[in-house]
Amino acid sequence: MSEGTSTAYEALVQFLYRAPIGLVQTSLAGDIAMINPMAAQLLMPLAVDGALFNLFDVLAPVAPQLRDLTRRPDEDGGMICDALHLAMPPAARGGAAPRTLALQLLRLDDATLMAALSDATAAVQHEQQRLSARVHAATRIDGLTTLPNRLALLEAIDGALERRAHDPGARWAVLLVNADRFERINVTRGPAAGDAVLQGMAGRLRAIAAGMAGALAARFGSDEFALLVRLDELGGSVADDDLAACEALARRLVEALGVPHVVGRVAPDGDDGAEAGVHASASVGVVRIGASHGHAMAVMQDAGLALREAKRLGGARHGVFTAELRARARQRGSLEADLRRALDDSQLFVVYQPIVSLADDTVAGMEALVRWRHPQLGIVPPDRFIGIAEETGLIVVLGEWVLRQACDRLAAWQRGLGPLAPRSMSVNLSRAQVLEPSIVGTVARALAASRLDAGALQLEVTESLAAQDAIVQQRLGDLKALGLTLALDDFGTGYSSLASLHLLPVDVVKIDRSFVSQSVTSAHHRVLIEAVVKVARSLGMTTVAEGVETAEQAGLLATLDCDKSQGYFYARPLPAEEATAWLRARADRTMRRAA
Ligand code: C2E
Ligand code: CA
Ligand code: CA
């Protein structure tokens, strides 16, 4: 018989010999009646002394249960076991031997079993890889928002750093996003609303990332998200383009995240059943990944500095990382440690700057301003350390100390100077102090300790603080209830406007120096000052012009109907004794002029 004309039986035998699958025919007891070459090859590593007589004996080390399985009543059309995976013992794995065998065992009739064997190494490995990929993915997804999580982001940044090392054309940036005053949403609207806002923010970020090739949106922390973007995919080709693209994107994020979130009905007593909008905003810190970044956390640290800058400027905006920010952060770190010591080592002192009544040129008050005599750096201005004190919580102790000093100082002037004493003392309050529930008691105790009339104390707060939520408004109301007055500091620099002045619980508006300094040269600023004075007066508030440096400015402000004036023109902030001398000298001059 020539090739190609074999009978069906011969073809089957040929198949048995050449098939890439192991086939073994045995008795019910496992004694091998037929075995094809592939089966022999697969089983050989298990065969003791190369003996392949009984299948169950050979497989006993890896499948001792087989003999028992064959004795069970047939329920499955003869199938005894289907694709049983047998892990080969390490000793049997040498050379090309499979790591895993797949075994199928079939009862053909009352006397015959047929086993099919195959190398399942690849299939099992594939399955293991699939499972580990799933575990990998599960540990890199944030449960609440289903965005990639912190770990996933850090890995992606490390990947970007690696790419960057080989391919200088690949340029990346990270935009770190943090919800502004998120704790307030949790406290006032409940944690469910907080979660809904975070999910909403995540959705918006995801949508923005989806529109950019190579971008990844991730949840980095509780109320913190991040966007990793491929700058060379955004179209720019030079560094300036990159920065502009980053800033445009940051602005887009701030805008998208500032749209109120609908979180469903949250007020149980609400009768209209309307869905509630929760106002939230976010700040963004931008950093372009560069040569100075050794690892992902270094990138995130720099993004954090940029973010902090955005928050420092009031939030709902973006900040861009610069080397200067890093230098400042280092400096701040060492200043922070020094500041803790400064409080104990009496390196702080208070200076006083007069506030003069424009109508009659009398001393209406003094503003207390803190100073720090640093053992190495000399006098450190408050702009350099008040921020640190706020961030570290030191402001509470520091602020109370300034308050005590100031109250004592005015009481001492009242005792020593009688009618020549300033009528009031102004003390600056920072945000962290107002948020502290103990502030009302602290102020009351300071007044009592110095036996000062509450009406002689004025507390100054910035407009961004005074315009804040109900808690702050309530706290300011409680302070006013003590009998003191509140002044709105730096008016004109924040984002509140004349139109919302009536909403703020203040008695005095302090017009910022930037307006005053341009009042003589700019008609625009003159008009603004005039408007502030008019609106304030209509609301029963008085006005103070800050930073008056020249006689010309003072004269102009008087004609603009401003009530009081403060600045270098009258005096710089002076240490207590010099301020006392200034008060005496001024009284003498007034008397001589009157005589
Ligand atoms: P501020 O409350 O607006 O204080 C006025 C600042 O303007 C003071 O700066 C003062 O020295 C300065 N100044 C006054 N007149 C003139 C002028 O004619 N020309 C110019 N160029 N500047 C003038 P200072 O003392 O450096 O204080 C800076 C800021 O630090 C204060 O701004 C205030 O916000 C904060 N600060 C100062 N002391 C305290 C404090 O005890 N507690 C808190 N929370 N903040 C304080
Ligand atoms: Ca002030
Ligand atoms: Ca001011």
Side-chain angles (χ1 to χ4, degrees):
M1 229 173 356
S2 61
E3 275 180 9
T5 57
S6 55
T7 63
Y9 175 76
E10 282 170 334
L12 194 61
V13 172
Q14 283 294 322
F15 170 75
L16 267 177
Y17 272 81
R18 291 201 207 152
I21 184 166
L23 294 166
V24 188
Q25 182 190 335
T26 74
S27 69
L28 287 191
D31 292 326
I32 295 175
M34 185 284 298
I35 180 164
N36 78 347
M38 187 46 133
Q41 186 189 321
L42 289 171
L43 288 174
M44 201 49 88
L46 287 170
V48 181
D49 301 330
L52 290 175
F53 300 126
N54 183 290
L55 182 65
F56 298 156
D57 288 346
V58 173
L59 289 176
V62 290
Q65 74 275 34
L66 284 183
R67 220 171 235 125
D68 287 344
L69 287 179
T70 58
R71 295 188 188 120
R72 290 214 188 135
D74 178 16
E75 283 167 354
D76 220 358
M79 184 63 77
I80 294 168
C81 64
D82 187 9
L84 190 64
H85 281 159
L86 309 176
M88 299 289 267
R93 277 193 211 149
R99 299 169 73 84
T100 311
L101 274 187
L103 169 72
Q104 241 177 350
L105 198 56
L106 195 70
R107 191 197 311 265
L108 291 185
D109 54 41
D110 286 348
T112 320
L113 298 177
M114 188 58 110
L117 289 158
S118 59
D119 180 353
T121 308
V124 167
Q125 258 173 11
H126 180 77
E127 177 64 11
Q128 277 172 352
Q129 276 163 1
R130 204 176 63 86
L131 278 175
S132 89
R134 270 175 60 181
V135 171
H136 178 96
T139 54
R140 279 156 185 79
I141 291 293
D142 171 59
L144 178 68
T145 62
T146 69
L147 282 181
N149 63 11
R150 178 188 185 92
L151 179 61
L153 175 77
L154 292 175
E155 284 176 352
I157 296 175
D158 276 330
L161 285 168
E162 212 161 289
R163 267 293 293 281
R164 202 183 166 278
H166 303 124
D167 175 8
R171 304 186 312 280
W172 314 76
V174 170
L175 290 87
L176 179 61
V177 178
N178 187 293
D180 294 327
R181 292 182 280 278
F182 183 71
E183 72 284 357
R184 196 198 49 180
I185 296 175
N186 267 339
V187 169
T188 59
R189 310 298 291 264
D195 283 356
V197 168
L198 291 176
Q199 284 166 332
M201 288 191 159
R204 292 171 195 184
L205 283 173
R206 196 199 306 273
I208 288 174
M212 291 183 296
L216 175 81
R219 183 171 181 208
F220 190 63
S222 57
D223 62 344
E224 207 149 68
F225 300 90
L227 205 59
L228 172 66
V229 288
R230 249 323 262 278
L231 293 173
D232 44 311
E233 297 279 0
L234 292 184
S237 56
V238 293
D240 283 351
D241 292 351
D242 279 352
L243 183 59
C246 283
E247 294 210 64
L249 180 56
R251 274 189 285 272
R252 211 174 129 205
L253 292 182
V254 170
E255 193 182 327
L257 298 175
V259 176
H261 296 261
V262 175
V263 298
R265 293 167 58 177
V266 282
D269 51 347
D271 35 66
D272 56 356
E275 290 194 308
V278 173
H279 288 268
S281 67
S283 301
V284 176
V286 181
V287 62
R288 281 174 293 161
I289 295 181
S292 71
H293 296 123
H295 50 88
M297 271 319 284
V299 175
M300 293 315 291
Q301 263 158 18
D302 287 350
L305 290 176
L307 176 67
R308 192 145 91 178
E309 187 64 7
K311 295 260 183 187
R312 195 178 70 78
L313 295 172
R317 71 188 68 210
H318 73 272
V320 177
F321 171 76
T322 58
E324 196 205 322
L325 279 186
R326 194 185 290 152
R328 243 202 281 158
R330 278 211 194 101
Q331 219 177 38
R332 187 160 50 193
S334 71
L335 268 190
E336 180 186 328
D338 292 352
L339 185 57
R340 287 179 196 278
R341 229 168 298 130
L343 278 160
D344 299 331
D345 293 359
S346 5
Q347 293 168 16
L348 298 180
F349 63 104
V350 180
V351 290
Y352 301 91
Q353 187 177 36
I355 301 171
V356 172
S357 173
L358 280 167
D360 57 9
D361 219 30
T362 56
V363 181
M366 286 276 187
E367 177 172 2
L369 296 157
V370 68
R371 293 289 179 271
W372 177 9
R373 194 179 291 110
H374 190 284
Q376 282 86 42
L377 302 173
I379 303 289
V380 183
D383 290 335
R384 294 236 344 250
F385 67 88
I386 290 289
I388 300 173
E390 285 183 344
E391 283 166 25
T392 54
L394 282 171
I395 192 71
V396 175
V397 191
L398 189 156
E400 181 172 359
W401 181 81
V402 172
L403 182 69
R404 291 268 176 157
Q405 293 286 308
C407 287
D408 285 351
R409 185 71 260 158
L410 182 57
W413 276 331
Q414 287 176 344
R415 284 193 304 271
L417 298 176
L420 303 185
R423 292 194 288 279
S424 75
M425 178 62 76
S426 289
V427 179
N428 293 284
L429 275 196
S430 68
R431 177 181 141 74
Q433 283 174 278
V434 179
L435 291 179
E436 200 68 35
S438 59
I439 183 69
V440 183
T442 301
V443 172
R445 277 193 302 278
L447 286 168
S450 56
R451 303 224 200 104
L452 201 66
D453 186 23
L457 180 63
Q458 179 163 301
L459 296 178
E460 300 193 357
V461 295
T462 57
E463 49 177 327
S464 57
L465 173 62
Q468 253 178 37
D469 48 58
I471 298 174
V472 171
Q473 299 265 332
Q474 170 75 38
R475 194 70 39 77
L476 294 177
D478 293 346
L479 283 170
K480 274 188 71 157
L482 293 174
L484 47 78
T485 55
L486 285 184
L488 194 58
D489 212 349
D490 308 338
F491 185 79
T493 56
Y495 39 79
S496 75
S497 65
L498 272 182
S500 55
L501 198 54
H502 69 283
L503 298 171
L504 307 180
V506 297
D507 312 281
V508 178
V509 178
K510 298 189 79 171
I511 303 166
D512 191 67
R513 193 173 74 220
S514 55
F515 285 72
V516 174
S517 63
Q518 297 181 73
S519 59
V520 174
T521 49
S522 152
H524 172 69
H525 286 84
R526 269 199 303 282
V527 170
L528 278 175
I529 293 174
E530 219 173 351
V532 175
V533 171
K534 282 212 177 87
V535 172
R537 188 155 295 172
S538 75
L539 296 169
M541 303 171 183
T542 59
T543 46
V544 178
E546 293 187 302
V548 175
E549 294 184 348
T550 65
E552 198 181 0
Q553 287 170 351
L556 178 63
L557 287 157
T559 63
L560 294 178
D561 251 0
C562 190
D563 297 298
K564 292 166 195 166
S565 171
Q566 172 184 5
Y568 294 171
F569 172 60
Y570 308 96
R572 293 195 170 241
L574 303 166
E577 289 80 64
E578 289 177 43
T580 309
W582 184 90
L583 285 166
R584 286 221 162 90
R586 188 176 173 89
D588 284 351
R589 224 175 47 213
T590 315
M591 290 223 304
R592 269 203 307 276
R593 223 181 287 151

